[in-house]
Coordinates of all heavy atoms in Angstrom, one line a residue:
M891 N 0.8 -1.2 0.0 CA -0.1 0.0 0.0 C 0.8 1.3 0.0 O 1.9 1.3 0.8 CB -0.9 0.0 1.2 CG -1.7 1.3 1.5 SD -2.6 1.3 3.0 CE -1.5 2.2 4.1
R892 N 0.6 2.3 -0.8 CA 1.1 3.5 -0.8 C 0.4 4.4 0.1 O -0.9 4.4 0.1 CB 1.4 4.0 -2.2 CG 2.3 3.2 -2.9 CD 2.4 3.7 -4.5 NE 2.1 4.8 -4.8 CZ 2.9 5.5 -5.9 NH1 3.8 4.8 -6.5 NH2 2.5 6.6 -6.3
A893 N 1.1 5.2 0.8 CA 0.5 6.2 1.7 C 1.0 7.5 1.6 O 2.2 7.8 1.2 CB 0.6 5.7 3.2
V894 N 0.3 8.6 2.1 CA 0.8 10.0 2.2 C 0.9 10.3 3.6 O 0.0 10.2 4.4 CB -0.2 11.0 1.4 CG1 0.3 12.3 1.6 CG2 -0.3 10.6 0.0
I895 N 2.1 10.8 4.0 CA 2.3 11.3 5.4 C 2.5 12.7 5.3 O 3.4 13.2 4.5 CB 3.6 10.5 6.0 CG1 3.4 9.0 6.0 CG2 3.9 11.1 7.4 CD1 4.7 8.3 6.5
T896 N 1.8 13.5 6.2 CA 2.0 14.9 6.2 C 2.4 15.3 7.6 O 2.0 14.6 8.7 CB 0.6 15.6 5.9 OG1 -0.4 15.1 6.9 CG2 0.2 15.4 4.6
V897 N 3.3 16.2 7.8 CA 3.8 16.7 9.0 C 3.8 18.1 9.0 O 4.4 18.8 8.0 CB 5.3 16.1 9.2 CG1 5.9 16.6 10.5 CG2 5.4 14.6 9.0
I898 N 3.2 18.7 10.0 CA 3.2 20.2 10.2 C 3.6 20.6 11.5 O 3.0 20.0 12.5 CB 1.7 20.7 9.8 CG1 1.5 20.3 8.3 CG2 1.7 22.3 10.0 CD1 0.0 20.5 7.9
G899 N 4.3 21.7 11.6 CA 4.5 22.1 13.0 C 5.6 23.2 13.0 O 6.1 23.6 12.1
K900 N 5.9 23.7 14.2 CA 7.0 24.7 14.3 C 8.3 24.2 13.9 O 8.6 23.0 14.5 CB 7.1 25.3 15.7 CG 8.1 26.3 16.0 CD 7.9 27.0 17.3 CE 8.9 27.8 17.8 NZ 9.3 29.0 16.8
D901 N 9.1 24.7 13.2 CA 10.3 24.3 12.7 C 11.3 24.0 13.8 O 11.4 24.8 14.7 CB 11.0 25.2 11.7 CG 12.2 24.6 11.1 OD1 12.3 23.3 10.9 OD2 13.2 25.4 10.7
T902 N 11.9 22.8 13.9 CA 12.9 22.5 14.9 C 13.8 21.5 14.3 O 13.5 20.8 13.3 CB 12.3 22.0 16.3 OG1 13.2 21.8 17.2 CG2 11.6 20.8 16.0
V903 N 15.0 21.4 15.0 CA 16.0 20.4 14.5 C 15.5 19.0 14.8 O 15.0 18.6 15.8 CB 17.3 20.6 15.3 CG1 18.3 19.6 15.0 CG2 17.9 22.0 15.0
G904 N 15.7 18.1 13.7 CA 15.5 16.7 13.9 C 14.1 16.2 13.4 O 13.9 14.9 13.6
I905 N 13.2 17.0 12.8 CA 12.0 16.5 12.5 C 12.1 15.4 11.4 O 11.6 14.3 11.6 CB 11.0 17.6 11.9 CG1 10.6 18.6 13.1 CG2 9.7 17.1 11.3 CD1 10.0 19.9 12.6
I906 N 12.8 15.7 10.3 CA 13.0 14.7 9.3 C 13.7 13.4 9.8 O 13.3 12.3 9.5 CB 13.7 15.4 8.0 CG1 12.9 16.4 7.5 CG2 14.0 14.3 7.0 CD1 13.7 17.3 6.4
A907 N 14.7 13.7 10.6 CA 15.3 12.5 11.1 C 14.6 11.7 12.0 O 14.5 10.4 11.8 CB 16.6 13.0 12.0
K908 N 13.7 12.2 12.9 CA 12.8 11.4 13.7 C 11.8 10.6 12.9 O 11.6 9.4 13.2 CB 12.1 12.3 14.7 CG 12.8 12.8 15.9 CD 12.7 11.7 17.0 CE 13.3 12.5 18.1 NZ 13.3 11.5 19.3
V909 N 11.2 11.2 11.9 CA 10.1 10.5 11.1 C 10.8 9.6 10.2 O 10.3 8.4 10.2 CB 9.4 11.5 10.2 CG1 8.4 10.9 9.3 CG2 8.5 12.6 11.2
S910 N 11.9 9.9 9.7 CA 12.6 8.9 8.8 C 13.0 7.7 9.6 O 13.1 6.5 9.0 CB 13.8 9.6 8.1 OG 13.3 10.6 7.3
A911 N 13.6 7.8 10.7 CA 14.0 6.8 11.6 C 13.0 5.8 11.9 O 13.1 4.5 11.8 CB 14.7 7.3 12.8
L912 N 11.7 6.3 12.0 CA 10.6 5.5 12.4 C 10.2 4.7 11.1 O 9.9 3.4 11.2 CB 9.4 6.3 12.9 CG 8.1 5.6 13.2 CD1 8.4 4.5 14.2 CD2 7.1 6.4 13.5
L913 N 10.3 5.4 9.9 CA 9.9 4.6 8.7 C 11.0 3.6 8.5 O 10.6 2.4 8.0 CB 9.9 5.6 7.6 CG 8.8 6.8 7.7 CD1 8.9 7.6 6.5 CD2 7.4 6.1 7.8
L914 N 12.2 3.9 8.7 CA 13.2 2.8 8.6 C 12.9 1.6 9.4 O 13.1 0.5 9.1 CB 14.6 3.3 9.0 CG 15.8 2.3 9.0 CD1 16.1 1.7 7.6 CD2 17.2 3.2 9.5
K915 N 12.6 1.9 10.7 CA 12.3 0.7 11.7 C 11.3 -0.2 11.1 O 11.4 -1.4 11.3 CB 11.8 1.3 13.0 CG 11.4 0.3 14.0 CD 10.9 1.1 15.3 CE 10.4 0.1 16.4 NZ 9.9 0.7 17.5
Y916 N 10.4 0.3 10.3 CA 9.2 -0.5 9.7 C 9.4 -0.9 8.3 O 8.6 -1.4 7.5 CB 7.9 0.1 9.9 CG 7.4 0.0 11.4 CD1 7.7 1.0 12.2 CD2 6.8 -1.1 11.9 CE1 7.3 0.9 13.6 CE2 6.4 -1.1 13.2 CZ 6.6 -0.1 14.0 OH 6.2 -0.2 15.3
N917 N 10.8 -0.6 7.8 CA 11.1 -0.9 6.5 C 10.2 -0.3 5.5 O 9.8 -0.8 4.4 CB 11.1 -2.4 6.3 CG 12.0 -2.8 5.0 OD1 13.0 -2.2 4.7 ND2 11.6 -3.8 4.3
I918 N 9.9 1.0 5.7 CA 9.0 1.7 4.9 C 9.7 2.6 3.9 O 10.6 3.4 4.5 CB 7.9 2.6 5.7 CG1 6.9 1.7 6.5 CG2 7.1 3.5 4.8 CD1 6.2 2.4 7.5
N919 N 9.6 2.5 2.7 CA 10.4 3.2 1.6 C 9.8 4.6 1.3 O 8.6 4.6 1.1 CB 10.5 2.4 0.5 CG 11.6 3.0 -0.6 OD1 12.6 3.5 -0.1 ND2 11.2 2.9 -1.8
I920 N 10.6 5.7 1.4 CA 10.1 6.9 0.9 C 10.2 7.0 -0.6 O 11.4 7.0 -1.1 CB 11.0 8.1 1.6 CG1 10.8 8.0 3.1 CG2 10.5 9.5 1.1 CD1 11.8 8.9 3.9
L921 N 9.2 7.2 -1.3 CA 9.2 7.4 -2.7 C 9.3 8.7 -3.2 O 10.0 8.9 -4.3 CB 7.8 6.7 -3.2 CG 7.6 5.3 -2.9 CD1 6.1 4.9 -3.3 CD2 8.6 4.4 -3.5
D922 N 8.8 9.7 -2.4 CA 8.9 11.1 -2.9 C 8.7 11.9 -1.6 O 8.0 11.5 -0.6 CB 7.7 11.5 -3.8 CG 8.2 12.7 -4.7 OD1 9.1 13.3 -4.4 OD2 7.4 13.1 -5.6
I923 N 9.4 13.0 -1.5 CA 9.3 13.9 -0.3 C 9.4 15.3 -0.8 O 10.1 15.7 -1.6 CB 10.4 13.5 0.8 CG1 10.2 14.3 1.9 CG2 11.8 13.6 0.1 CD1 11.3 13.9 3.1
S924 N 8.6 16.2 -0.1 CA 8.6 17.6 -0.3 C 8.5 18.3 1.1 O 7.7 17.9 1.8 CB 7.5 18.0 -1.2 OG 7.4 19.4 -1.3
Q925 N 9.3 19.2 1.4 CA 9.4 19.9 2.6 C 9.7 21.4 2.4 O 10.4 21.7 1.4 CB 10.2 19.2 3.6 CG 11.7 19.3 3.4 CD 12.4 20.6 4.0 OE1 12.0 21.0 5.1 NE2 13.4 21.0 3.3
T926 N 9.1 22.2 3.1 CA 9.3 23.6 3.1 C 9.2 24.3 4.4 O 8.4 23.7 5.3 CB 8.4 24.3 2.1 OG1 8.9 25.6 1.8 CG2 7.0 24.3 2.5
I927 N 9.9 25.4 4.6 CA 9.7 26.1 5.9 C 9.1 27.5 5.4 O 9.8 28.2 4.6 CB 11.0 26.3 6.5 CG1 11.5 24.8 6.9 CG2 10.9 27.1 7.9 CD1 13.0 24.8 7.4
M928 N 8.0 28.0 6.0 CA 7.5 29.3 5.8 C 7.6 30.0 7.0 O 6.9 29.7 8.0 CB 6.0 29.2 5.3 CG 5.8 28.4 4.0 SD 4.1 28.3 3.5 CE 3.1 27.7 4.8
Q929 N 8.4 30.8 7.2 CA 8.9 31.6 8.3 C 9.4 30.6 9.4 O 10.3 30.0 9.2 CB 7.8 32.5 8.9 CG 7.5 33.6 7.9 CD 6.5 34.7 8.3 OE1 6.0 34.6 9.5 NE2 6.1 35.5 7.4
D930 N 8.5 30.3 10.5 CA 8.9 29.2 11.4 C 8.1 28.0 11.3 O 8.1 27.1 12.2 CB 9.0 29.8 12.8 CG 7.6 30.2 13.4 OD1 6.8 30.3 12.6 OD2 7.6 30.4 14.7
L931 N 7.2 27.9 10.3 CA 6.3 26.8 10.1 C 6.8 25.7 9.1 O 7.2 26.0 8.0 CB 4.9 27.2 9.6 CG 3.9 26.2 9.4 CD1 3.6 25.5 10.8 CD2 2.6 26.7 8.7
F932 N 7.1 24.6 9.6 CA 7.6 23.4 8.9 C 6.5 22.5 8.4 O 5.5 22.3 9.0 CB 8.5 22.5 9.8 CG 9.0 21.3 9.1 CD1 10.2 21.3 8.5 CD2 8.3 20.1 9.2 CE1 10.7 20.2 7.8 CE2 8.8 18.9 8.6 CZ 10.0 18.9 7.8
T933 N 6.5 22.2 7.1 CA 5.6 21.3 6.4 C 6.4 20.3 5.5 O 7.4 20.7 4.9 CB 4.6 22.1 5.5 OG1 5.3 22.7 4.4 CG2 3.9 23.1 6.2
M934 N 5.8 19.0 5.6 CA 6.4 18.0 4.8 C 5.4 17.0 4.4 O 4.4 16.7 5.1 CB 7.5 17.3 5.7 CG 8.0 16.0 5.0 SD 9.5 15.3 5.9 CE 8.7 14.7 7.4
I935 N 5.6 16.6 3.2 CA 4.5 15.7 2.6 C 5.4 14.5 2.0 O 6.4 14.8 1.2 CB 3.6 16.2 1.5 CG1 2.8 17.4 2.0 CG2 2.8 15.2 0.9 CD1 2.1 18.1 0.9
M936 N 5.2 13.3 2.5 CA 6.0 12.1 2.0 C 5.1 11.2 1.3 O 3.8 10.9 1.9 CB 6.7 11.4 3.1 CG 7.5 12.3 3.9 SD 8.1 11.4 5.4 CE 9.7 11.0 4.9
L937 N 5.4 10.6 0.1 CA 4.7 9.4 -0.4 C 5.5 8.3 -0.1 O 6.8 8.3 -0.4 CB 4.6 9.6 -2.0 CG 3.9 8.4 -2.7 CD1 2.5 8.3 -2.3 CD2 4.2 8.7 -4.2
V938 N 4.9 7.3 0.6 CA 5.7 6.2 1.1 C 5.1 4.8 0.5 O 3.9 4.8 0.2 CB 5.9 6.2 2.6 CG1 6.6 7.3 3.0 CG2 4.5 6.0 3.2
D939 N 6.0 3.8 0.5 CA 5.5 2.4 0.1 C 5.5 1.7 1.4 O 6.4 1.5 2.1 CB 6.5 1.8 -0.8 CG 6.0 0.3 -1.1 OD1 5.2 -0.2 -0.5 OD2 6.7 -0.2 -2.0
M940 N 4.3 1.4 1.9 CA 4.1 0.8 3.3 C 4.0 -0.7 3.2 O 3.4 -1.4 4.1 CB 2.9 1.4 4.0 CG 3.1 2.8 4.3 SD 2.1 3.5 5.4 CE 2.1 2.5 6.8
R941 N 4.5 -1.2 2.2 CA 4.4 -2.7 2.0 C 5.0 -3.4 3.3 O 6.2 -3.2 3.7 CB 5.3 -3.2 0.8 CG 5.0 -4.6 0.4 CD 5.6 -4.8 -1.1 NE 5.4 -3.7 -1.9 CZ 6.3 -3.4 -2.9 NH1 7.4 -4.0 -3.1 NH2 5.9 -2.4 -3.7
G942 N 4.3 -4.3 3.9 CA 4.7 -4.9 5.2 C 4.3 -4.2 6.4 O 4.7 -4.7 7.5
A943 N 3.7 -3.0 6.4 CA 3.4 -2.3 7.5 C 2.0 -1.7 7.2 O 1.6 -1.4 6.2 CB 4.5 -1.2 7.8
T944 N 1.4 -1.2 8.3 CA 0.1 -0.5 8.3 C 0.1 0.8 9.1 O 1.0 0.9 9.9 CB -1.2 -1.3 8.7 OG1 -1.0 -1.5 10.2 CG2 -1.1 -2.7 8.1
P945 N -0.8 1.8 8.7 CA -0.8 3.0 9.5 C -0.9 2.7 11.0 O -0.3 3.4 11.9 CB -1.9 3.8 9.1 CG -2.0 3.3 7.6 CD -1.7 1.8 7.7
S946 N -1.7 1.7 11.5 CA -1.9 1.4 12.8 C -0.5 0.8 13.5 O -0.4 1.0 14.6 CB -2.9 0.3 13.0 OG -2.8 -0.9 12.4
D947 N 0.3 0.4 12.7 CA 1.7 -0.1 13.2 C 2.4 1.0 13.7 O 3.2 0.8 14.7 CB 2.5 -0.9 12.1 CG 1.9 -2.2 11.6 OD1 1.2 -2.8 12.5 OD2 2.2 -2.6 10.6
L948 N 2.2 2.2 13.1 CA 3.0 3.4 13.3 C 2.5 4.3 14.4 O 2.9 5.1 15.0 CB 3.3 4.2 12.2 CG 3.9 3.6 10.9 CD1 3.9 4.5 9.7 CD2 5.3 3.2 11.2
S949 N 1.2 4.0 14.6 CA 0.2 5.0 15.4 C 0.8 5.4 16.7 O 1.0 6.6 16.9 CB -1.1 4.3 15.6 OG -2.0 5.2 16.3
D950 N 1.2 4.5 17.6 CA 1.7 4.9 18.9 C 2.9 5.7 18.8 O 3.1 6.7 19.5 CB 1.8 3.7 19.8 CG 0.4 3.1 20.2 OD1 -0.5 3.7 20.1 OD2 0.5 1.9 20.6
E951 N 3.8 5.2 17.9 CA 5.1 5.9 17.9 C 5.0 7.3 17.2 O 5.7 8.3 17.6 CB 6.1 5.0 17.2 CG 6.5 3.8 18.0 CD 7.4 2.9 17.3 OE1 6.7 1.8 16.6 OE2 8.6 2.8 17.4
L952 N 4.2 7.4 16.2 CA 3.9 8.6 15.6 C 3.3 9.7 16.7 O 3.6 10.9 16.6 CB 2.9 8.6 14.4 CG 3.5 8.1 13.1 CD1 2.5 7.9 12.0 CD2 4.7 9.0 12.6
K953 N 2.5 9.2 17.6 CA 1.8 10.0 18.5 C 2.9 10.5 19.5 O 2.8 11.7 20.0 CB 0.8 9.3 19.4 CG -0.6 9.2 18.6 CD -1.5 8.3 19.3 CE -2.7 8.0 18.4 NZ -3.7 7.2 19.1
E954 N 3.9 9.7 19.8 CA 5.1 10.1 20.7 C 5.8 11.2 20.1 O 6.2 12.2 20.7 CB 5.9 9.0 20.9 CG 5.4 7.9 21.9 CD 6.3 6.6 22.1 OE1 7.5 6.8 21.9 OE2 5.8 5.5 22.5
I955 N 6.1 11.0 18.7 CA 6.8 12.1 18.0 C 6.1 13.4 18.0 O 6.6 14.4 18.2 CB 7.2 11.6 16.6 CG1 8.2 10.3 16.6 CG2 7.8 12.8 15.7 CD1 8.4 9.8 15.3
E956 N 4.7 13.3 17.8 CA 3.9 14.4 17.7 C 3.9 15.2 19.0 O 4.1 16.4 19.1 CB 2.4 14.0 17.5 CG 2.0 13.8 16.1 CD 0.5 13.5 15.9 OE1 0.0 12.6 16.7 OE2 -0.1 14.1 15.0
K957 N 3.8 14.5 20.1 CA 3.8 15.0 21.5 C 5.3 15.7 21.8 O 5.3 16.8 22.3 CB 3.5 14.0 22.6 CG 3.2 14.6 23.9 CD 2.7 13.5 24.7 CE 2.2 14.1 26.0 NZ 1.6 13.0 26.9
E958 N 6.3 14.9 21.5 CA 7.7 15.4 21.8 C 8.0 16.6 21.1 O 8.7 17.4 21.6 CB 8.7 14.1 21.5 CG 10.0 14.5 21.7 CD 11.0 13.4 21.2 OE1 10.5 12.3 21.1 OE2 12.0 13.7 20.8
M959 N 7.6 16.6 19.8 CA 8.1 17.6 19.0 C 7.0 18.7 18.7 O 7.2 19.6 17.8 CB 8.7 17.1 17.6 CG 9.9 16.2 17.9 SD 10.8 15.7 16.4 CE 11.8 17.2 16.4
N960 N 5.8 18.6 19.3 CA 4.6 19.5 19.0 C 4.3 19.6 17.6 O 4.2 20.6 17.0 CB 4.8 20.9 19.6 CG 3.7 21.7 19.8 OD1 2.6 21.1 20.0 ND2 3.9 23.0 19.7
L961 N 4.1 18.4 17.0 CA 3.8 18.4 15.5 C 2.3 17.8 15.2 O 1.8 17.2 16.2 CB 4.8 17.4 14.8 CG 6.3 17.9 14.9 CD1 7.1 16.7 14.3 CD2 6.5 19.2 14.1
S962 N 1.9 17.9 14.1 CA 0.7 17.2 13.6 C 1.2 16.2 12.4 O 1.7 16.8 11.5 CB -0.4 18.2 13.1 OG -1.4 17.6 12.4
I963 N 1.0 14.9 12.7 CA 1.5 14.0 11.7 C 0.2 13.1 11.4 O -0.5 12.5 12.2 CB 2.5 13.0 12.2 CG1 3.7 13.9 12.7 CG2 3.0 12.1 11.2 CD1 4.9 13.1 13.4
R964 N 0.0 13.0 10.1 CA -1.2 12.1 9.6 C -0.7 11.2 8.5 O 0.2 11.6 7.6 CB -2.3 13.1 8.8 CG -2.8 14.1 9.9 CD -3.7 13.4 10.9 NE -4.1 14.3 12.0 CZ -3.6 14.5 13.1 NH1 -2.6 13.8 13.5 NH2 -4.1 15.4 14.0
V965 N -1.2 10.0 8.5 CA -0.9 9.0 7.5 C -2.3 8.7 6.9 O -3.1 8.2 7.6 CB -0.2 7.7 8.1 CG1 0.0 6.7 7.1 CG2 0.9 8.1 8.9
Q966 N -2.3 8.7 5.5 CA -3.5 8.4 4.8 C -3.2 7.5 3.6 O -2.1 7.7 2.9 CB -4.2 9.7 4.2 CG -4.8 10.5 5.3 CD -5.4 11.7 4.7 OE1 -4.9 12.4 4.0 NE2 -6.8 12.0 5.0
N967 N -4.0 6.5 3.5 CA -3.9 5.8 2.0 C -3.9 6.8 0.9 O -4.6 7.7 0.9 CB -5.1 4.9 1.9 CG -5.0 4.0 0.7 OD1 -5.2 4.6 -0.4 ND2 -5.0 2.8 0.8
E968 N -3.0 6.5 -0.1 CA -2.7 7.4 -1.2 C -4.1 7.7 -2.0 O -4.4 8.8 -2.3 CB -1.7 6.8 -2.2 CG -1.4 7.7 -3.4 CD -0.7 7.1 -4.4 OE1 -0.5 5.8 -4.5 OE2 0.1 7.9 -5.1
D969 N -4.9 6.7 -2.2 CA -6.2 6.9 -2.9 C -7.2 7.8 -2.2 O -7.7 8.6 -2.7 CB -6.8 5.4 -3.1 CG -6.0 4.5 -4.1 OD1 -5.2 5.2 -4.9 OD2 -6.1 3.3 -4.0
I970 N -7.2 7.6 -0.8 CA -8.0 8.5 0.0 C -7.6 10.0 0.0 O -8.3 10.8 -0.2 CB -8.1 8.0 1.4 CG1 -8.9 6.6 1.4 CG2 -8.8 8.9 2.3 CD1 -8.8 5.8 2.8
F971 N -6.2 10.1 0.1 CA -5.6 11.4 0.1 C -5.9 12.1 -1.2 O -6.4 13.2 -1.2 CB -4.1 11.3 0.4 CG -3.4 12.7 0.3 CD1 -3.3 13.4 1.4 CD2 -2.9 13.1 -0.8 CE1 -2.7 14.6 1.5 CE2 -2.3 14.4 -0.9 CZ -2.1 15.1 0.3
N972 N -5.7 11.4 -2.4 CA -6.0 11.9 -3.7 C -7.5 12.3 -3.8 O -7.7 13.4 -4.4 CB -5.6 11.0 -4.7 CG -4.1 11.0 -4.8 OD1 -3.4 12.0 -4.5 ND2 -3.6 9.9 -5.4
S973 N -8.3 11.5 -3.4 CA -9.8 11.7 -3.4 C -10.3 13.0 -2.6 O -11.0 13.8 -3.2 CB -10.6 10.6 -2.9 OG -10.4 9.4 -3.8
M974 N -9.6 13.1 -1.6 CA -9.9 14.3 -0.6 C -9.3 15.5 -1.2 O -10.0 16.7 -0.9 CB -9.4 14.1 0.7 CG -10.1 13.0 1.5 SD -9.3 12.7 3.1 CE -9.4 14.2 3.9
H975 N -8.4 15.6 -2.0 CA -7.8 16.7 -2.4 C -7.9 17.0 -4.0 O -7.2 17.8 -4.6 CB -6.2 16.7 -2.1 CG -6.0 16.8 -0.6 ND1 -6.0 15.5 0.1 CD2 -6.0 17.8 0.2 CE1 -5.7 16.0 1.4 NE2 -5.8 17.2 1.5
R976 N -8.9 16.3 -4.6 CA -9.2 16.5 -6.0 C -10.1 17.7 -6.1 O -11.1 17.8 -5.4 CB -9.8 15.3 -6.5 CG -9.9 15.3 -8.1 CD -10.4 13.9 -8.5 NE -9.3 13.0 -8.5 CZ -9.3 11.8 -8.0 NH1 -10.4 11.3 -7.6 NH2 -8.3 11.0 -7.9
I977 N -9.8 18.5 -7.1 CA -10.7 19.7 -7.3 C -11.7 19.3 -8.2 O -11.6 18.7 -9.2 CB -9.9 20.9 -7.9 CG1 -8.8 21.4 -6.8 CG2 -10.7 22.0 -8.2 CD1 -8.0 22.5 -7.2

């Protein structure tokens, strides 16, 4: 399954490293990534191949990263994400 992971929050050191390390732990491949900083707001969108893992596998650990780094992190199936953002 391919999924879209979105990360939003105040820019701080280590956001990409923390999220990427968690994906590595579950052998999730990053297919595409876009990140930007607008003033002090960090935004990142990743397209990932979650073969062998599910969003629920990551749930608790993503919540820990959200809390620790004061972020909003969402994981959505690629098809659902595309349907929700189609004009």
Side-chain angles (χ1 to χ4, degrees):
M891 170 183 98
R892 288 169 36 140
V894 175
I895 299 175
T896 56
V897 180
I898 300 171
K900 184 172 171 48
D901 185 35
T902 188
V903 173
I905 296 173
I906 296 171
K908 283 267 189 187
V909 174
S910 296
L912 179 60
L913 299 179
L914 173 64
K915 177 179 176 181
Y916 287 93
N917 200 33
I918 296 171
N919 189 33
I920 299 170
L921 303 172
D922 200 356
I923 184 172
S924 173
Q925 66 90 34
T926 191
I927 300 167
M928 299 182 309
Q929 294 181 13
D930 66 345
L931 181 65
F932 175 87
T933 62
M934 177 169 64
I935 302 172
M936 305 170 103
L937 177 63
V938 299
D939 181 351
M940 295 196 53
R941 194 171 312 151
T944 66
S946 61
D947 293 335
L948 306 173
S949 181
D950 290 341
E951 290 171 274
L952 283 175
K953 286 177 187 173
E954 287 177 26
I955 294 171
E956 280 183 309
K957 192 174 188 178
E958 175 187 337
M959 302 190 84
N960 196 27
L961 300 169
S962 172
I963 305 173
R964 300 292 173 257
V965 181
Q966 292 180 308
N967 180 293
E968 179 187 26
D969 295 334
I970 293 171
F971 180 88
N972 287 335
S973 293
M974 290 176 58
H975 295 91
R976 189 169 289 134
I977 297 178

